[in-house]
Amino acid sequence: MLFRKIRKKFQKEVQPLQVPGQQEQLSSDLDENLDVLRSMYQDCFDVVFKTFLIGGQTNAVLVYIDGLSNIMEIDAHVLTPLMSEGKDHSLFKLLKEKIHISKTKEVKTFVECIENISIGNPVLLVDKEECGIVLGLPKFEKRSIEEPSAESVVRGPREGFVETIAINTSLLRRKIKSPELKMKPMKIGRYTETLVVIAYIKGLADQTLIEEVDNRLRRIEIDSILESGYIEELIEDNPRSPFPQLVSTERPDAAAGSLMEGRVVILVDGTPFVLIAPVTFFSLLQSPEDYYQHYLISSTIRLLRFVFMVFSLVLPSLYVAILTYHHEMVPTTLLISIFASRESVPFPALVEALMMEISFEALREAGVRLPKQVGAAISIVGALVIGQAAVQAGLVSAPMVIVVAITGIASFMVPHYTQGIALRMLRFPIMLLAGSLGLLGIMLGVITIVIHLCTLRSLGVPYLSPVAPMKGYELKDALIRAPWWKMNKRPHLTGEFNPYRQSNGQKPGPNKGDE
């Protein structure tokens, strides 16, 4: 009971400050409006209340935040024309005759004033007027459009999303010029009021999918949304699974390609990472570059990804199981060589593997956190020095260093970082099973993972689709990538959908039209 009382008291204390009058309508008395706004922005040194006379007669005030609003535009297009000599005008006439700004609108409540001031739009309040004018004059620093460092490609666009949501939506509009590309905005976060946009193509995305995404987002009640990872964790189907059930990307072409398949894209202001839903296990092993190269090259590389994905999950476990329990599986000459290298190693194979894998993961994380100029060098040199020193000191064997190195290379083959982390996490319990039960333990671990994947859903879509449940025509873009002239249908995700993305007879060559 004591803990419940403390928790209730704490919850009451952290509630947002409610200022009297913020839900009320603006008054015709300018002084009353200023009193309410000043009480709301008490101890906010960057909020400017610029008082002046319109035409030398009517009292007015312009409220804006220094650093978020364009001061030069305010001086040139708002203050200068309004303060010049002229007759007394109503607010409507001021907007029509004196303020020449493309983005303007009227507001009638204090809540609307605060929302616009907070995003950099100045609000003009005039005495004897029960409404204000919002002036679309925001200005803030933004990062230039660059190629995403984590999703670089050999062939493909070199532009990536940035932290400004208006730029991100424009990048999508440049890719998809149809008015059927719809974008539904909402604000999430009691304090941050972060702008979140749901993007989809009407006629391709199922309406039930759009409504489900919208409902899950509107159920979120939280103080702040600072990155799309907040959203991802709050709307996924199975929060206890290590596998990602939404995919994040910085590439506009990847987001546009997902929209064309009937998926939904969630954009969050303040982050370059947008979320794509729903996703499947196989889509997480696909790269945007797969669709820009010849289908034979793309299919070969995609098959390599699947093979090395398995290596990254079970290769150290296989080494441990075989050396511990299944010597007969190794050729005699190779077995003699391995045991000769392990002659001075005091630890069993399981402890040796755990030591090397933990060290490798620590080096990888250190390389990510260090400055770019020294991060790569230290991670590579560190791995070489530590590996060589460990072998010479007799702490680990040379074959184990080779196995860990191959496993690390294999994990880098996974295109999406979150999927790679899930496989790296699962590698350790499988190693423990291999050290205790041998190959039987590896089989039990893999079967458990497959069963778990079969139970997962991403916004209702089976995670192992199109393999389980089997959808024959969608296999053309699962393990391999069929040529574009063979992929006439788009994936069937949920409910109603538009099945055909192109007409038949697209195969090039002398017999064009026969397919």
Side-chain angles (χ1 to χ4, degrees):
M1 290 297 294
L2 177 61
F3 288 108
R4 289 182 180 177
K5 291 180 180 178
I6 295 174
R7 185 173 61 183
K8 287 181 179 179
K9 182 180 179 181
F10 176 75
Q11 289 176 345
K12 290 180 180 179
E13 290 176 352
V14 299
Q15 290 297 320
L17 179 64
Q18 299 293 328
V19 179
Q22 70 172 357
Q23 298 291 343
E24 296 178 2
Q25 301 283 328
L26 289 170
S27 170
S28 59
D29 190 339
L30 181 61
D31 292 335
E32 290 184 7
N33 296 334
L34 285 179
D35 289 341
V36 175
L37 288 175
R38 284 198 171 101
S39 64
M40 291 178 181
Y41 285 112
Q42 187 178 3
D43 297 330
C44 298
F45 79 97
D46 54 340
V47 180
V48 179
F49 292 86
K50 175 61 178 177
T51 58
F52 62 97
L53 293 177
I54 297 177
Q57 299 177 1
T58 307
N59 291 322
V61 63
L62 191 66
V63 187
Y64 61 92
I65 296 178
D66 189 15
L68 289 185
S69 300
N70 194 325
I71 306 298
M72 296 179 64
E73 295 291 329
I74 290 174
D75 292 340
H77 300 290
V78 180
L79 295 179
T80 300
L82 290 181
M83 295 173 68
S84 61
E85 293 296 330
K87 296 180 180 179
D88 191 8
H89 292 294
S90 66
L91 197 59
F92 177 78
K93 288 184 178 180
L94 286 174
L95 182 61
K96 183 178 179 180
E97 299 178 6
K98 295 235 177 182
I99 302 178
H100 303 292
I101 298 173
S102 59
K103 293 184 178 180
T104 58
K105 66 176 181 180
E106 292 187 2
V107 290
K108 296 184 178 181
T109 64
F110 290 104
V111 170
E112 293 175 325
C113 291
I114 292 174
E115 288 178 351
N116 285 280
I117 293 170
S118 300
I119 61 176
N121 293 327
V123 173
L124 175 64
L125 300 175
V126 181
D127 194 20
K128 299 179 182 179
E129 295 286 348
E130 294 184 350
C131 62
I133 297 179
V134 174
L135 309 172
L137 296 174
K139 182 183 179 182
F140 42 87
E141 297 299 325
K142 54 184 179 292
R143 183 167 60 91
S144 60
I145 297 174
E146 301 171 349
E147 181 181 8
S149 58
E151 297 179 78
S152 58
V153 295
V154 176
R155 179 177 180 178
R158 294 289 190 261
E159 59 186 9
F161 290 122
V162 295
E163 286 75 13
T164 308
I165 195 169
I167 296 178
N168 295 342
T169 55
S170 67
L171 289 174
L172 282 180
R173 289 286 182 189
R174 287 174 57 188
K175 297 287 182 185
I176 304 173
K177 301 176 178 61
S178 171
E180 298 303 316
L181 174 59
K182 308 298 182 182
M183 296 187 181
K184 297 174 61 176
M186 65 180 69
K187 290 186 178 180
I188 304 178
R190 285 193 292 267
Y191 290 100
T192 60
E193 294 187 352
T194 306
L195 179 61
V196 179
V197 173
I198 304 173
Y200 63 93
I201 298 181
K202 185 178 180 180
L204 298 187
D206 180 31
Q207 189 62 33
T208 57
L209 172 63
I210 300 167
E211 293 174 358
E212 179 65 21
V213 174
D214 185 80
N215 291 335
R216 293 193 186 191
L217 290 176
R218 294 190 184 280
R219 284 200 302 264
I220 297 175
E221 294 184 4
I222 192 171
D223 284 348
S224 63
I225 296 291
L226 303 178
E227 214 276 335
S228 57
Y230 288 50
I231 300 288
E232 181 179 4
E233 195 167 333
L234 290 169
I235 68 172
E236 59 187 358
D237 290 57
N238 190 336
R240 292 182 174 84
S241 174
F243 291 96
Q245 293 146 62
L246 288 87
V247 64
S248 61
T249 182
E250 291 184 79
R251 298 188 62 88
D253 56 330
S258 298
L259 288 171
M260 297 305 300
E261 291 183 344
R263 305 181 197 272
V264 173
V265 172
I266 303 172
L267 302 97
V268 181
D269 193 20
T271 175
F273 291 93
V274 306
L275 300 177
I276 299 172
V279 297
T280 64
F281 180 80
F282 298 97
S283 65
L284 290 169
L285 291 170
Q286 298 171 2
S287 169
E289 195 174 11
D290 292 350
Y291 302 96
Y292 306 145
Q293 301 188 90
H294 194 273
Y295 70 94
L296 293 177
I297 299 173
S298 300
S299 299
T300 303
I301 295 175
R302 189 175 289 184
L303 288 173
L304 276 176
R305 285 197 201 109
F306 280 97
V307 172
F308 277 88
M309 178 202 69
V310 176
F311 281 0
S312 69
L313 181 64
V314 300
L315 186 58
S317 304
L318 283 173
Y319 181 83
V320 170
I322 290 173
L323 286 190
T324 307
Y325 297 102
H326 309 284
H327 302 158
E328 68 280 358
M329 296 182 64
V330 184
T332 304
T333 306
L334 178 59
L335 186 63
I336 293 173
S337 175
I338 292 174
F339 276 103
S341 65
R342 298 193 72 254
E343 186 175 0
S344 61
V345 177
F347 306 110
L350 175 60
V351 177
E352 185 184 5
L354 287 173
M355 287 172 51
M356 288 301 298
E357 285 293 338
I358 292 173
S359 301
F360 186 86
E361 293 298 329
L363 281 172
R364 189 204 311 249
E365 188 66 18
V368 172
R369 304 302 168 198
L370 286 171
K372 291 184 179 179
Q373 292 81 0
V374 297
I378 288 180
S379 60
I380 294 172
V381 172
L384 291 174
V385 171
I386 291 175
Q388 184 66 24
V391 171
Q392 291 181 352
L395 297 178
V396 296
S397 61
M400 176 57 73
V401 175
I402 296 173
V403 169
V404 171
I406 295 174
T407 305
I409 295 171
S411 64
F412 288 122
M413 290 282 290
V414 180
H416 292 280
Y417 183 70
T418 51
Q419 180 81 329
I421 290 179
L423 296 173
R424 284 155 52 188
M425 287 176 55
L426 294 172
R427 187 188 305 157
F428 291 95
I430 294 181
M431 286 169 56
L432 294 175
L433 288 172
S436 57
L437 298 175
L439 289 179
L440 177 61
I442 297 177
M443 293 172 61
L444 289 174
V446 172
I447 290 172
T448 303
I449 292 173
V450 172
I451 292 174
H452 173 69
L453 291 174
C454 290
T455 62
L456 282 183
R457 296 288 186 274
S458 175
L459 290 169
V461 176
Y463 202 63
L464 290 183
S465 177
V467 173
M470 179 68 72
K471 297 178 182 178
Y473 71 91
E474 292 187 22
L475 293 176
K476 297 177 181 179
D477 193 22
L479 297 175
I480 61 172
R481 202 272 283 176
W484 273 114
W485 42 267
K486 278 287 187 182
M487 294 194 295
N488 296 331
K489 291 184 177 181
R490 59 174 49 89
H492 185 188
L493 301 174
T494 57
E496 298 293 333
F497 77 119
N498 186 346
Y500 293 100
R501 72 171 101 202
Q502 64 188 25
S503 59
N504 293 324
Q506 300 292 318
K507 181 180 179 181
N511 297 323
K512 180 180 179 181
D514 292 348
E515 290 293 329

